[in-house]
Amino acid sequence: MAMEFEKDTLDALAKALREVEKGFASLPGWGARAPGLERMPEVMQQVAERLQDNYPYFHPLYAGQMLKPPHPIARAAYALATWINPNNHALDGGRASSAMEREAVAEIAGMFGWKTHLGHLTSGGTMANLEALWAAGRLDPGKKIAASAQAHYTHHRIASVLGLPFVEIPADARGRMDMQALAARLASGEIGCVVATVGTTGAGSIDPLPEILMLRDRHHFRLHVDAAYGGYFSLAGNLTAETREAFDLIGQANSIVVDPHKHGLQPYGCGCVLFSDPGVGALYKHDSPYTYFTSAELHLGEISLECSRPGASAVALWATQRLLPIEPGGEFARGLEACREAALSLAKRLDGDSRWLVPFPPELDIVVWAPRAASVRLVSELSHRIFDAAARRGLHLALIHLPLSYFPAIQPDSTETHDTVLCLRSVLMKPEHREWVDRILVILDAAFEEVRGR
Ligand SMILES: *Cc1c(COP(=O)(O)O)cnc(C)c1O
């Protein structure tokens, strides 16, 4: 049976559109017609053909990068909102969608135990992190931003955009920030903000929050938690005790970033930044001559660095959270648990197979591993060829350069000076992956044998 896209979204959309229309029924018709509509079928045909040129990100056999299909309700609600096209820059640009943004964001804050907060949606994790580091820089001028070598590369770039000095803290053999190295840097008093990554983009590693918080008691830095990828796993009931402890401490941070467009079932264009202290809002103060006419309340446009923002994103997120509340034990949480089970199962099967090296068990739903071979160069070559051979067989994995320190079993030969090795990586972020691990392994096995046979 060939795959088919879900299409009920289209009926739900048409029905809801007629409903929205009723809210504006008192307006006189104006017979507007968009130009060029008669050529639309022809151009849509071209669009459809162009879109065929993609990896099947939506399918369980796409198990490579961080790509997850939005929930049908997010798609439908987003599209529905575009008929109004609200702008959440200011309340008079999007009344309903601004209220929906506040409600949805408060629910995300609630996931970390926050009853008060300041926060809003952004175009993604990059902008959300930028706002958090911008606030840190404003509050502690001249101090440095510290993040681990496995933190998302965006932090280094953001620091340079903001003109803030940046310190990279080495990571340990599990991809977590090294606490001795952090303590040594903190002793100098130069660091104003530590970025802890809860779920690194590479391997889903969790920086040790309990130790970082102990250091904060002594050194008084701001703690920013980048949980762009991992944040929603706070709801999962099947984390290890160590990982759970870190998640339970996220609420101690001064700021948090979570990307609803990573694990929150949203289309791209949806990040979220949260501050524990609503007083941070004062930093955003400006006197715009253009907008804000309708309310004395703090507008979302007054607490965001981005000006125009899609109200549709807020509508989509709100709708998704109505359908699938973000709460432990719920359907949404079970989806995340299934992803983690998929990763545990894949890692266990690979670890029990002498052809592969698995450096550590996954903390979330990302598995990294390498083919066993006699040198760093050979491991890297094999990884690349297996990646290609798997793709030819319809299984899409990812490649990642990992520190050699993760793999004591890989011995560099005397001519090799690398400190990283090219490995395979699989982000199992669809709940369906749990049922697809066997099929994934069959293809991986065939790819390995094809490459080895050559
Ligand atoms: C994805 C990611 C980012 C960047 O977010 P975008 O939404 O891609 O801009 C930052 N940090 C982490 C940990 C991420 O996984």
Side-chain angles (χ1 to χ4, degrees), residues 66 123-127 129 152 154-155 197 199-201 226-229 259 261-262:
M66 289 175 169
S123 56
T126 301
M127 265 314 289
N129 277 300
H152 197 283
T154 193
H155 293 286
T197 307
T200 58
T201 313
D226 180 0
Y229 185 75
D259 264 2
H261 72 199
K262 290 263 177 71

Side-chain angles (χ1 to χ4, degrees), residues 16 101 162 210 217 261-262 297 310 322 336 355:
E101 175 167 346
L162 295 171
D217 290 341
H261 72 199
K262 290 263 177 71
E297 263 184 90
R322 291 284 75 60
L336 293 158
R355 295 174 297 178

Side-chain angles (χ1 to χ4, degrees), residues 54-135:
N54 270 303
Y55 294 115
Y57 310 113
F58 45 84
H59 194 278
L61 283 178
Y62 184 88
Q65 310 282 1
M66 289 175 169
L67 290 138
K68 177 167 175 143
H71 193 282
I73 199 168
R75 248 186 331 239
Y78 194 104
L80 181 64
T82 60
W83 264 267
I84 307 277
N85 200 26
N87 183 341
N88 276 14
H89 176 214
L91 275 186
D92 53 323
R95 269 200 316 271
S97 51
S98 293
M100 289 157 112
E101 175 167 346
R102 278 177 211 281
E103 291 167 33
V105 168
E107 286 172 14
I108 295 176
M111 187 163 69
F112 305 110
W114 286 3
K115 298 205 165 54
T116 61
H117 72 281
L118 185 87
H120 60 88
L121 300 180
T122 62
S123 56
T126 301
M127 265 314 289
N129 277 300
L130 184 135
E131 293 203 16
L133 297 193
W134 172 75

Side-chain angles (χ1 to χ4, degrees), residues 245-312:
E245 189 186 4
F247 272 94
D248 289 345
L249 292 170
I250 291 178
Q252 308 282 316
N254 301 95
S255 51
I256 306 172
V257 162
V258 183
D259 264 2
H261 72 199
K262 290 263 177 71
H263 253 305
L265 300 170
Q266 299 309 297
Y268 284 113
C270 195
C272 177
V273 61
L274 301 163
F275 295 96
S276 63
D277 173 12
V280 169
L283 296 175
Y284 288 89
K285 249 192 154 24
H286 64 92
D287 279 312
S288 164
Y290 310 116
T291 46
Y292 328 132
F293 309 109
T294 50
S295 163
E297 263 184 90
L298 200 62
H299 293 281
L300 287 165
E302 288 175 303
I303 54 154
S304 162
L305 289 184
E306 287 172 283
C307 296
S308 293
R309 292 177 314 119

Side-chain angles (χ1 to χ4, degrees), residues 76-418:
Y78 194 104
L80 181 64
T82 60
W83 264 267
I84 307 277
N85 200 26
N87 183 341
N88 276 14
H89 176 214
L91 275 186
D92 53 323
R95 269 200 316 271
S97 51
S98 293
M100 289 157 112
E101 175 167 346
R102 278 177 211 281
E103 291 167 33
V105 168
E107 286 172 14
I108 295 176
M111 187 163 69
F112 305 110
W114 286 3
K115 298 205 165 54
T116 61
H117 72 281
L118 185 87
H120 60 88
L121 300 180
T122 62
S123 56
T126 301
M127 265 314 289
N129 277 300
L130 184 135
E131 293 203 16
L133 297 193
W134 172 75
R138 294 284 301 271
L139 292 166
D140 253 328
K143 292 285 182 79
K144 295 182 180 169
I145 307 287
S148 107
Q150 289 296 319
H152 197 283
Y153 61 81
T154 193
H155 293 286
H156 198 165
R157 288 211 303 217
I158 288 169
S160 105
V161 169
L162 295 171
L164 300 172
F166 180 83
V167 189
E168 185 179 285
I169 309 294
D172 67 13
R174 283 171 56 196
R176 309 153 1 124
M177 189 188 285
D178 184 288
M179 285 301 103
Q180 278 183 344
L182 177 65
R185 289 311 285 251
L186 287 168
S188 69
E190 64 193 342
I191 289 170
C193 176
V194 172
V195 177
T197 307
V198 175
T200 58
T201 313
S205 302
I206 314 285
D207 284 343
L209 275 189
E211 288 83 353
I212 294 174
L213 285 166
M214 277 193 297
L215 288 169
R216 186 174 68 169
D217 290 341
R218 260 190 285 151
H219 297 282
H220 309 291
F221 49 82
R222 272 181 82 77
L223 174 61
H224 170 59
V225 168
D226 180 0
Y229 185 75
Y232 287 105
F233 278 93
S234 195
L235 305 172
N238 59 352
L239 306 174
T240 64
E242 188 189 31
T243 307
R244 170 47 57 197
E245 189 186 4
F247 272 94
D248 289 345
L249 292 170
I250 291 178
Q252 308 282 316
N254 301 95
S255 51
I256 306 172
V257 162
V258 183
D259 264 2
H261 72 199
K262 290 263 177 71
H263 253 305
L265 300 170
Q266 299 309 297
Y268 284 113
C270 195
C272 177
V273 61
L274 301 163
F275 295 96
S276 63
D277 173 12
V280 169
L283 296 175
Y284 288 89
K285 249 192 154 24
H286 64 92
D287 279 312
S288 164
Y290 310 116
T291 46
Y292 328 132
F293 309 109
T294 50
S295 163
E297 263 184 90
L298 200 62
H299 293 281
L300 287 165
E302 288 175 303
I303 54 154
S304 162
L305 289 184
E306 287 172 283
C307 296
S308 293
R309 292 177 314 119
S313 278
V315 173
L317 183 63
W318 186 92
T320 309
Q321 290 178 194
R322 291 284 75 60
L323 193 76
L324 299 171
I326 45 174
E327 62 198 15
E331 250 178 303
F332 178 71
R334 283 206 297 282
L336 293 158
E337 287 160 5
C339 295
R340 184 164 149 69
E341 278 178 49
L344 283 175
S345 147
L346 179 65
K348 189 160 166 241
R349 300 272 295 274
L350 293 169
D351 198 38
D353 181 331
S354 62
R355 295 174 297 178
W356 306 112
L357 295 164
V358 180
F360 41 75
E363 285 201 69
L364 301 178
D365 58 355
I366 303 174
V367 184
V368 292
W369 75 102
R372 199 184 282 273
S375 71
V376 179
R377 186 179 55 81
L378 285 173
V379 172
S380 295
E381 272 179 26
L382 263 183
S383 292
H384 214 145
R385 289 208 262 134
I386 292 164
F387 168 82
D388 287 336
R392 284 194 298 273
R393 291 164 187 270
L395 171 66
H396 301 279
L397 302 170
L399 289 165
I400 183 171
H401 289 277
L402 290 176
L404 211 43
S405 59
Y406 289 11
F407 298 97
I410 303 178
Q411 294 297 324
D413 70 27
S414 54
T415 63
E416 289 181 329
T417 54
H418 321 74

